Amino acid sequence: MAPKKKTSPLILKKEDIPNFVSKLTQILTVYGPVAKKSQFIFDTITDGTQLRLDYDTTILPPKKYFIPPEEEMVKFSLKPELKIQNPLDEKNTESLWNGKRFLIFGIHSCDLTAIKFHDHILTQVYPDPYRAQRRDEGIIIGVNCLTPCEDGFCKSAGALNTTETADLMLTELNNSYYVDVLTTIGKEIVDYCKTQFSSATQQQVNQVKKIIAHRAKSFPDPLKEFQKLPGQLEDSYEGEMWNRLGRRCFGCGACTMVCPTCFCFDVKDQIELDTTKGSRVRKWDSCQLVDFALVAGGHNFRPTIPSRVRYRIYHKFWIEPEQINQIGCVGCGRCTHTCPADIDMIELLTEIEKGGN
Ligand code: SF4
Ligand code: SF4
């Protein structure tokens, strides 16, 4: 992760964004939000005009660039002798200009908070060198969300104001973006495209302060006791609510696949039919799927849907705070938006706040 470096704020005109992005694509692989039918996804940007900084939320979070849905951990060949190739041996962080680093443009504060969450849990509790390498290779331009999205509760989750983990942070200001330069890498990016930036005036600094203060008041805050949820869950383990939820849930796992904080995976060895070579691959997995807790001998620790629904909530709101003192939910609302059974995270957590019976 890049060291922090605070410099004076800058202004980037909206009309200059396509040129700025196109210039970045000459030295970096650039990802950002683009339209996909009526929704948005993070995708590769080849032309700056594709970028949609007015997006509300994306189907999948930008987590997919740090922990890909499917990733080769090692390649091996068995003949004429055992040879192992590990992608961790090819580290690419020394220079911006070697053409191998990537930049994600336009990440909202909820997803910046989720990246911070992974920075903690995937170094302190479950060190993940593959994710750490991608994190070092990635550069982040955040954008302040000024309009609440439909199912989100980022303010309740304490994720509304996060800028940590971004190298540059943008705030929409009339026909421009106000740019906070937060790290040395952010400064290098600005220097690389310096003709497109101008210094922010004191009036613009004051305007942005007002915009952020107004946002703090205007965003919904439906879960006033969010930080107390770990304690409240202690009394809810045997509650009937898990059976009620279990009767509605299909056990499809979609809620975990779209979640920016979920990080479970499964590992499989794939060997060519002629047994001369193969690879070890990890793929996203979900605690909501029936075989997630199935072990050798046929025992399943969570064979029923209610037990899996309860596990998901306890893991995010009780186990993870015990491990790193941070709740594993940033209030992005993607699980609610995606759930085919209409299970709403705000309603579920409100029920726990009320006693969870
Ligand atoms: S649990 Fe739901 S609301 Fe919370 S971070 Fe995951 S997808 Fe977003
Ligand atoms: S998306 Fe909804 S139905 Fe599917 S596993 Fe999650 S809670 Fe259950």
Side-chain angles (χ1 to χ4, degrees):
M1 280 147 264
K4 296 285 159 190
K5 177 159 182 152
K6 181 93 179 145
T7 57
S8 305
L10 301 168
I11 294 292
L12 174 64
K13 286 189 186 146
K14 280 184 184 169
E15 65 191 36
D16 288 336
I17 293 244
N19 280 342
F20 173 49
V21 176
S22 297
K23 194 154 182 220
L24 292 174
T25 61
Q26 292 167 16
I27 54 160
L28 299 159
T29 302
V30 177
Y31 306 111
V34 301
K36 180 157 189 181
K37 296 187 179 166
S38 61
Q39 300 189 75
F40 295 95
I41 58 169
F42 275 97
D43 206 352
T44 309
I45 304 282
T46 49
D47 170 347
T49 58
Q50 297 167 303
L51 195 69
R52 287 289 302 273
L53 292 181
D54 60 339
Y55 78 104
D56 50 3
T57 185
T58 52
I59 298 173
L60 287 183
K63 160 182 96 172
K64 64 183 178 177
Y65 298 119
F66 298 118
I67 309 173
E70 183 170 335
E71 179 173 31
E72 213 165 60
M73 301 174 83
V74 285
K75 272 191 204 164
F76 49 86
S77 51
L78 300 163
K79 288 183 184 164
E81 62 196 19
L82 177 64
K83 203 169 149 202
I84 296 176
Q85 248 182 300
N86 189 330
L88 293 178
D89 299 335
E90 298 156 25
K91 210 167 163 68
N92 299 317
T93 51
E94 284 73 31
S95 162
L96 264 188
W97 323 111
N98 64 11
K100 291 181 179 169
R101 295 188 69 173
F102 66 92
L103 180 145
I104 313 174
F105 204 122
I107 300 186
H108 286 163
S109 301
C110 58
D111 287 332
L112 293 175
T113 312
I115 291 168
K116 185 172 129 190
F117 172 81
H118 279 169
D119 286 349
H120 290 168
I121 202 148
L122 297 178
T123 53
Q124 291 170 22
V125 188
Y126 311 108
D128 178 345
Y130 296 90
R131 194 257 177 194
Q133 174 156 320
R134 286 174 193 276
R135 181 73 177 90
D136 282 346
E137 290 172 349
I139 299 162
I140 294 175
I141 301 185
V143 64
N144 268 313
C145 219
L146 300 179
T147 312
C149 57
E150 197 183 339
D151 299 306
F153 49 97
C154 56
K155 183 173 170 183
S156 301
L160 178 58
N161 295 313
T162 302
T163 58
E164 279 170 83
T165 67
D167 296 291
L168 297 176
M169 193 74 196
L170 273 50
T171 308
E172 189 178 10
L173 184 61
N174 308 320
N175 295 324
S176 302
Y177 280 95
Y178 177 94
V179 183
D180 270 315
V181 183
L182 302 174
T183 65
T184 311
I185 288 281
K187 174 83 168 54
E188 275 191 61
I189 294 286
V190 164
D191 287 345
Y192 170 67
C193 302
K194 61 179 152 220
T195 53
Q196 274 149 348
F197 292 88
S198 58
S199 294
T201 63
Q202 190 54 49
Q203 191 192 10
Q204 287 166 323
V205 173
N206 295 341
Q207 272 180 301
V208 166
K209 278 187 188 155
K210 271 193 200 155
I211 288 170
I212 298 297
H214 177 260
R215 178 182 72 166
K217 285 190 203 137
S218 64
F219 265 54
D221 185 9
L223 298 160
K224 302 268 187 264
E225 308 236 299
F226 188 85
Q227 294 304 333
K228 293 188 188 157
L229 281 163
Q232 289 162 339
L233 274 173
E234 280 185 27
D235 302 325
S236 304
Y237 196 76
E238 300 298 342
E240 182 52 29
M241 69 173 284
W242 307 115
N243 288 326
R244 282 198 304 275
L245 282 165
R247 283 194 288 273
R248 285 173 61 193
C249 171
F250 301 124
C252 67
C255 49
T256 56
M257 293 296 156
V258 299
C259 178
T261 63
C262 283
F263 55 85
C264 287
F265 59 85
D266 195 11
V267 176
K268 290 211 166 93
D269 286 347
Q270 298 177 338
I271 300 177
E272 297 278 320
L273 278 178
D274 64 3
T275 70
T276 56
K277 59 186 174 195
S279 60
R280 176 161 293 176
V281 174
R282 71 174 183 179
K283 290 184 185 173
W284 287 1
D285 201 354
S286 168
C287 61
Q288 299 307 287
L289 300 179
V290 67
D291 57 0
F292 184 81
L294 182 67
V295 293
H299 181 69
N300 194 331
F301 286 94
R302 288 181 288 279
T304 64
I305 291 184
S307 66
R308 296 197 289 277
V309 171
R310 179 173 65 183
Y311 174 78
R312 171 173 163 244
I313 299 303
Y314 270 75
H315 192 246
K316 287 183 174 302
F317 294 91
W318 195 60
I319 298 171
E320 287 171 341
E322 288 267 308
Q323 289 174 320
I324 58 161
N325 201 24
Q326 200 177 337
I327 290 177
C329 169
V330 297
C332 71
R334 286 185 178 95
C335 53
T336 302
H337 189 72
T338 305
C339 178
D342 285 337
I343 291 176
D344 182 308
M345 189 54 113
I346 295 177
E347 283 173 19
L348 193 164
L349 296 178
T350 305
E351 207 169 331
I352 295 167
E353 283 187 356
K354 288 182 181 160
N357 294 310

